[in-house]
C-alpha cells in the first residue's frame, strides 16, 4: 500500500514539474507547481515527517504560491513569449550546472547516508519527524534562536509597512 | 518524553534585552502624539544604549554562557560589543542632521537602528551556527530598511533594493553552508563542530568542506570582501549618510566577530588548510578596494571602496591565526568604528537641507569656513590612511605585526603597499579642505547641531587617545583573546 501511494505521489510530483516548464500559460504553470508541492508534502508525510509535510503545504503550496499567483496576475503576464533560441554562454553554464546537480543526486542516491555525519539523537526515525519532538527542541535547545526569530519577523513587518506607507508624515 | 530545560541566564542576553525594550518603546511612541518630540525619542534610544553599555561592561568581570550553548558573552564578545554599541550611539547622535533632509520618521528610524544593533550583538556572542544566522538576518533586514529611509530619493530606494536582493542571495549561500555542515557533523554548536574537525579534518567529508566554503561566501558578501563587493559603493552612496557609516562599521564589526569565532572554534584545528584561500582574498580585497577608491570623486563612494580595503586589512590578521589575531582585530574594529562613522558624520553635518556636499571639489576651503568640522574630517582621514599618532596607524601596525609574527611577511609587505596607495585619496580630501580656494559663490554651510558636535568630538578624542596610548587599550584587549 505504502509503495503504491509512493509511486502515485511521485508520479504526480514529476507530472506537476513537467507541466510547470512545458505549459505556456504562466498561471497554469504556477498551479501545476502547487500539485508538485502537495505531492511532496504527501511523500514527507509517508516518511513520518509530519512537521515538514504541514509546513510544505502551509508555506510552499500556500503562502509562496499565493504570492506567485498575485504577482503573475498583477503584472498581467500573457502567454509566454518565445525568445529566439540561441546557444549562449549562459546556456552552456546552465547545462553544465544541471549535469553536476544530476551527478550529485545520483551519487547521493547510490552511496546513501554514508556522507552524512552522526546525528546526536537516540530517537528512532519515526520519532524524529514528529511535531512533539520538534516542539521539544524549539523550547529547550533552540529556545534562544527561536525567540530571536520573533524580533527578526517584527523588523520585517515594520520594514514592510514602512515602505508600503503612502504618506511620509 | 522528558524535556531538559537549558540554563536560562538572562545576563548573557542582557544588552540585547535592553535594546529590544528600547526599540519596542520607540515603535510604540511612533504611534502616539510623541512621535515628533525629538528629545524624548533621543532619550529613549540613548538610555537603552547606555544600559546595554553598562551590562556589556559588567560582563567583562563575569563572562557567561547560556541557553544550551547558543550564546556566550565572553570577553571576546565584550570587545566587539563595545565597538558595535559605540557605532550605534554615534549613529543615533549623528542622525539628528538627517532629520530635515531625509524626512526621517525618527521613532521608526531609531527603532530600526536599535534592532540592527541587537542583531549585531547576537552575532558577536553567538556560539552556534543557527544563532549566527538569526543574528545576521536581524541585522541585515534592519539595514535593508534603513538604507531606504530617504523614500523620496530614487538613489536611496535603489540602495535598499540592491542591498536586499544581493543580501538575500548571500543569505541563501550562508544557510546552504550551515545545512551542509549540519549534515556532515550532526551539530550546530561551534565547539562540537570543532571536535568533529579535530578527528576528521576539514576535508574529511566533501559535504563539510563545501559547507565551509559556502559559509565563507555568505560572510564575504556581508563584510564586502572582493569578489563579493559589487553592491557596496551603490548602497553606501544611496543610503542616508549616517546609515552608511553604521552599515560599514557596525556590520563589519559584528560579521568579523562571528567569522573569527567560527575560524578559531569550529575550523580551528586545521586552519592551515584554508589560510591560502583567505590569503588570496585578503590581498585581492586590499588592492581592489584601494585602487578603485583612487579614481572616485564622490567622497561617499570613496569611503565605500575604502571600507572594502579595510576589510582586507582585518582579514590579514585572521590569516595570521595566532595569539595576536583576536586582540588586533578588535582594536582595528574599534578604531574603524570611530574614524569611519566620524567621517560619514562630518559629511552629513556639511549637508544643507537641499544639497549634500559629496563631491570632493565641493569640500574646497571647508577647513577655513568650518574650522572644527574641517579639523575633525582631517583627523578622520589621517587615521583612515594610518598616519601616526592616530589610532588608525596603531590598528594597521597591530594587524600587520600579527601577520609578521605568524611568518606571513609577504602578506604584511603587500598590506603596507596597499596602505600606501590609500594615502593618496585620503590626503586628497585634506588637500581640498585646506589648500583649494572654493570655486564660485561661497556655500552657506548649515549650523552644527550640538549633539552632532558632541558625537564628532568623542570620535576624535577616541582616535587620538587610542593612537597616543595604544598600550593600555591593547593590554585590555589581550585579555579579550580568551574565548569562552
Amino acid at each position: 500500500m505504502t509503495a503504491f501511494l509512493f509511486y502515485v505521489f511521485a508520479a504526480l510530483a514529476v507530472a506537476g514539474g513537467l507541466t510547470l516548464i512545458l505549459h505556456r500559460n504562466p498561471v497554469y504553470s504556477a498551479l501545476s507547481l502547487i500539485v508538485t508541492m502537495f505531492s511532496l508534502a504527501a511523500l514527507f508525510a509517508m516518511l513520518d515527517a509530519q512537521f515538514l509535510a504541514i509546513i510544505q503545504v502551509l508555506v510552499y503550496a500556500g503562502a509562496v504560491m499565493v504570492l506567485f499567483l498575485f504577482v503573475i496576475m498583477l503584472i498581467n503576464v500573457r502567454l509566454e513569449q518565445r525568445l529566439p533560441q540561441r546557444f549562449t554562454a549562459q546556456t552552456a553554464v546552465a547545462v553544465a550546472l544541471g549535469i553536476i546537480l544530476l551527478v550529485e543526486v545520483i551519487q547521493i542516491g547510490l552511496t546513501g547516508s554514508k556522507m552524512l555525519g552522526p546525528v546526536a539523537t537516540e530517537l528512532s526515525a519515526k520519532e524524529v519527524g514528529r511535531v512533539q519532538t520538534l516542539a521539544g527542541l524549539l523550547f529547550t535547545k533552540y529556545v534562544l534562536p527561536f525567540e530571536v526569530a520573533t524580533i527578526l519577523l517584527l523588523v520585517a513587518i515594520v520594514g514592510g509597512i514602512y515602505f508600503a506607507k503612502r504618506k511620509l508624515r | 518524553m522528558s524535556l531538559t530545560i537549558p540554563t536560562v541566564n538572562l545576563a548573557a542576553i542582557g544588552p540585547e534585552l535592553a535594546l529590544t525594550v528600547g526599540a519596542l518603546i520607540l515603535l510604540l511612541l511612533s504611534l502616539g502624539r510623541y512621535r515628533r518630540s525629538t528629545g524624548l525619542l533621543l532619550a529613549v534610544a540613548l538610555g537603552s544604549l547606555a544600559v546595554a553599555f553598562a551590562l556589556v561592561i559588567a560582563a567583562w568581570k563575569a563572562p557567561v554562557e547560556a541557553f544550551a550553548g547558543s550564546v556566550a558573552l565572553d570577553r571576546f564578545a565584550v570587545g566587539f560589543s563595545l565597538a558595535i554599541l559605540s557605532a550605534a550611539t554615534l549613529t543615533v547622535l549623528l542622525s539628528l542632521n538627517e532629520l530635515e533632509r531625509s524626512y526621517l520618521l525618527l521613532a521608526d528610524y531609531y527603532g530600526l537602528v536599535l534592532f540592527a544593533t541587537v542583531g549585531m550583538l547576537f552575532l558577536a556572542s553567538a556560539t552556534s551556527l543557527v544563532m549566527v544566522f538569526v543574528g545576521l538576518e536581524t541585522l541585515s533586514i534592519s539595514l535593508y530598511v534603513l538604507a531606504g529611509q530617504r523614500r523620496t530619493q530614487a538613489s536611496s530606494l535603489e540602495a535598499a533594493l540592491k542591498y536586499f536582493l544581493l543580501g538575500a542571495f548571500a543569505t541563501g549561500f550562508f544557510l546552504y553552508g550551515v545545512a551542509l555542515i549540519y549534515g556532515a557533523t550532526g551539530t550546530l554548536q561551534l565547539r562540537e563542530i570543532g571536535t568533529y574537525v579535530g578527528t576528521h579534518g576539514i576535508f574529511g567529508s566533501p559535504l563539510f568542506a563545501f559547507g565551509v566554503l559556502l559559509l565563507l561566501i555568505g560572510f564575504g558578501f556581508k563584510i564586502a570582501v572582493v569578489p563579493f563587493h559589487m553592491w557596496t559603493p551603490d548602497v553606501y552612496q544611496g543610503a542616508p549618510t549616517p546609515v552608511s557609516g553604521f552599515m560599514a562599521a557596525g556590520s563589519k564589526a559584528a560579521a568579523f566577530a562571528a567569522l573569527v569565532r567560527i575560524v578559531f572554534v569550529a575550523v580551528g584545528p586545521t586552519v592551515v588548510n584554508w589560510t591560502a584561500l583567505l590569503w588570496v582574498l585578503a590581498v585581492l580585497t586590499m588592492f581592489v578596494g584601494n585602487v578603485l577608491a583612487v579614481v572616485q570623486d564622490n567622497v561617499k563612494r570613496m569611503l565605500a571602496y575604502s571600507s572594502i580595503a579595510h576589510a582586507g586589512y582585518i582579514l590579514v590578521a585572521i590569516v595570521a591565526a595566532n595569539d595576536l589575531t583576536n586582540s588586533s582585530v578588535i582594536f582595528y574594529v574599534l578604531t574603524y568604528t570611530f574614524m569611519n562613522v566620524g567621517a560619514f558624520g562630518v559629511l552629513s553635518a556639511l549637508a544643507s537641507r537641499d544639497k549634500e556636499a559629496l563631491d570632493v571639489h565641493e569640500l574646497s576651503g571647508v577647513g577655513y569656513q568650518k574650522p572644527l568640522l574641517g579639523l575633525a574630517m582631517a583627523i578622520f582621514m589621517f587615521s583612515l590612511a594610518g598616519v601616526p599618532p592616530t589610532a588608525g596607524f596603531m590598528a594597521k601596525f597591530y594587524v600587520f605585526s600579527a601577520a609578521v609574527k605568524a611568518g606571513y611577511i609577504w602578506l604584511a609587505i603587500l598590506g603596507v603597499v596597499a596602505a600606501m596607495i590609500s594615502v593618496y585619496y585620503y590626503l586628497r580630501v585634506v588637500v581640498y579642505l585646506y589648500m583649494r580656494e572654493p570655486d564660485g559663490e561661497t556655500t552657506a554651510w548649515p549650523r552644527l547641531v550640538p549633539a552632532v558636535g558632541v558625537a564628532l568630538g568623542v570620535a576624535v578624542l577616541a582616535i587620538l587617545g587610542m593612537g597616543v596610548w595604544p598600550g593600555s587599550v591593547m593590554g585590555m584587549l589581550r585579555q579579550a583573546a580568551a574565548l569562552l
Side-chain angles (χ1 to χ4, degrees):
Chain A
M1 184 62 189
T2 325
F4 173 71
L5 280 178
F6 169 79
Y7 284 115
V8 169
F9 286 117
L12 268 177
V14 174
L18 282 177
T19 339
L20 165 71
I21 51 171
L22 293 179
H23 214 286
R24 292 192 56 186
N25 189 329
V27 177
Y28 289 168
S29 291
L31 289 176
S32 50
L33 186 55
I34 297 184
V35 174
T36 305
M37 299 292 189
F38 261 109
S39 321
L40 288 181
L43 292 180
F44 281 135
M46 286 160 59
L47 288 169
D48 289 307
Q50 304 161 355
F51 182 75
L52 266 186
I54 297 165
I55 285 298
Q56 180 81 13
V57 172
L58 278 182
V59 176
Y60 284 94
V64 172
M65 288 318 298
V66 167
L67 206 64
F68 268 170
L69 283 173
F70 255 130
V71 171
I72 290 173
M73 289 173 176
L74 267 179
I75 59 175
N76 202 10
V77 190
R78 300 293 160 93
L79 289 188
E80 189 181 328
Q81 306 276 318
R82 201 161 274 281
L83 297 169
Q85 294 270 337
R86 267 181 295 128
F87 191 81
T88 56
Q90 204 181 0
T91 332
V93 174
V95 169
L97 286 178
I99 291 174
I100 291 176
L101 190 65
L102 194 66
V103 170
E104 203 179 12
V105 168
I106 294 173
Q107 167 79 19
I108 290 176
L110 290 180
T111 55
S113 55
K114 264 181 237 155
M115 275 166 93
L116 296 178
V119 176
T121 176
E122 55 282 0
L123 299 170
S124 67
K126 261 196 163 50
E127 285 171 314
V128 166
R130 281 208 324 227
V131 181
Q132 290 95 318
T133 317
L134 190 92
L137 277 176
L138 277 187
F139 283 98
T140 55
K141 198 173 172 190
Y142 298 111
V143 66
L144 187 62
F146 181 62
E147 296 295 339
V148 178
T150 57
I151 298 181
L152 175 71
L153 293 176
L154 177 67
V155 175
I157 295 169
V158 170
I161 293 175
Y162 179 82
F163 282 117
K165 205 155 40 172
R166 190 166 296 220
K167 266 195 281 181
L168 285 171
R169 302 235 148 178
Chain B
M1 194 165 70
S2 70
L3 293 177
T4 35
I5 306 294
T7 42
V8 174
N9 191 341
L10 291 184
I13 57 166
E16 288 92 341
L17 279 181
L19 292 178
T20 309
V21 169
L24 290 176
I25 294 175
L26 284 167
L27 286 187
L28 286 178
L29 285 176
S30 79
L31 299 172
R33 63 197 176 96
Y34 294 109
R35 71 172 179 276
R36 249 162 270 165
S37 44
T38 311
L40 177 66
L41 300 175
L42 188 66
V44 172
L46 287 182
S48 57
L49 279 167
V51 174
F53 256 118
L55 290 172
V56 163
I57 291 169
W60 179 269
K61 288 252 166 57
V64 270
E65 187 178 6
F67 294 101
S70 296
V71 284
L73 191 55
D74 46 16
R75 290 190 171 177
F76 174 82
V78 169
F80 279 100
S81 299
L82 288 179
I84 293 164
L85 288 172
S86 310
T89 313
L90 290 179
T91 309
V92 162
L93 290 172
L94 294 173
S95 302
L96 289 172
N97 276 317
E98 292 288 312
L99 260 186
E100 291 288 306
R101 190 170 54 254
S102 302
Y103 303 104
L104 291 185
L105 300 166
L106 199 62
D108 301 358
Y109 174 83
Y110 278 167
L112 286 167
V113 170
L114 293 190
F115 277 134
T117 314
V118 170
M120 291 171 186
L121 291 181
F122 272 128
L123 262 186
S125 60
T127 51
S128 87
L129 285 179
V130 61
M131 210 48 229
V132 171
F133 174 73
V134 176
L136 201 60
E137 276 309 278
T138 310
L139 126 80
S140 302
I141 291 183
S142 315
L143 286 182
Y144 302 149
V145 185
L146 283 173
Q149 286 286 307
R150 287 179 184 168
R151 271 185 45 195
T152 47
Q153 280 182 19
S155 64
S156 180
L157 293 178
E158 180 201 332
L161 190 66
K162 240 180 209 169
Y163 196 23
F164 170 64
L165 289 178
L166 286 175
F169 202 56
T171 301
F173 277 100
F174 187 88
L175 200 54
Y176 196 17
V178 172
L180 288 184
I181 291 176
Y182 182 69
T185 62
T187 177
L188 289 167
Q189 312 284 342
L190 295 184
R191 203 179 295 145
E192 287 169 20
I193 296 173
T195 14
Y196 169 87
V197 174
T199 51
H200 295 76
I202 197 166
F203 296 109
S205 140
L207 277 188
F208 184 77
F210 203 64
V212 171
L213 201 63
L214 288 176
L215 209 64
L216 199 62
I217 293 176
F219 270 116
F221 266 103
K222 295 290 171 196
I223 50 186
V225 166
V226 176
F228 313 111
H229 66 288
M230 300 297 182
W231 56 272
T232 323
D234 290 339
V235 172
Y236 285 12
Q237 192 184 359
T241 313
V243 172
S244 309
F246 184 50
M247 244 189 254
S251 61
K252 204 162 267 152
F256 267 113
L259 184 61
V260 170
R261 207 188 275 269
I262 289 174
V263 166
F264 281 96
V265 180
V267 259
T270 52
V271 80
V272 183
N273 282 334
W274 64 315
T275 34
L277 186 63
L278 286 178
W279 202 100
V280 174
L281 283 182
V283 172
L284 267 181
T285 308
M286 287 188 295
F287 276 93
V288 172
N290 278 326
V291 169
L292 287 179
V294 166
V295 294
Q296 304 300 328
D297 274 342
N298 184 308
V299 183
K300 236 169 142 183
R301 238 179 139 72
M302 179 274 273
L303 284 173
Y305 281 109
S306 106
S307 92
I308 297 173
H310 283 280
Y313 301 136
I314 304 178
L315 273 183
V316 169
I318 298 183
V319 173
N322 53 17
D323 53 330
L324 294 177
T325 301
N326 288 355
S327 46
S328 59
V329 171
I330 299 177
F331 191 92
Y332 206 106
V333 159
L334 260 177
T335 314
Y336 185 70
T337 298
F338 288 112
M339 58 196 186
N340 191 61
V341 176
F344 277 106
V346 173
L347 280 188
S348 117
L350 284 174
S352 56
R353 178 155 190 173
D354 40 309
K355 191 167 148 299
E356 266 188 302
L358 291 179
D359 195 285
V360 71
H361 302 285
E362 293 173 79
L363 293 178
S364 303
V366 169
Y368 298 108
Q369 293 158 9
K370 288 285 210 177
L372 285 177
L373 278 182
L375 184 65
M377 190 63 167
I379 290 173
F380 295 140
M381 288 297 132
F382 279 126
S383 183
L384 282 165
V387 177
T390 55
F393 168 73
M394 292 317 296
K396 284 206 178 64
F397 174 77
Y398 286 132
V399 163
F400 292 144
S401 59
V404 169
K405 194 181 172 196
Y408 292 99
I409 296 175
W410 269 107
L411 185 59
I413 292 177
L414 286 174
V416 173
V417 171
M420 304 281 245
I421 300 174
S422 77
V423 172
Y424 167 75
Y425 60 83
Y426 290 126
L427 290 195
R428 188 163 169 239
V429 174
V430 179
V431 166
Y432 272 93
L433 283 177
Y434 287 104
M435 295 170 203
R436 291 287 164 92
E437 291 295 319
D439 38 52
E441 75 274 29
T442 45
T443 332
W445 299 109
R447 217 167 46 83
L448 190 63
V449 180
V452 173
V454 170
L456 291 176
V458 168
V460 167
L461 287 182
I463 286 173
L464 293 179
M466 285 169 72
V468 177
W469 298 285
S472 48
V473 181
M474 206 53 189
M476 293 270 285
L477 294 182
R478 283 273 154 72
Q479 301 169 29
L483 289 154
L484 235 176

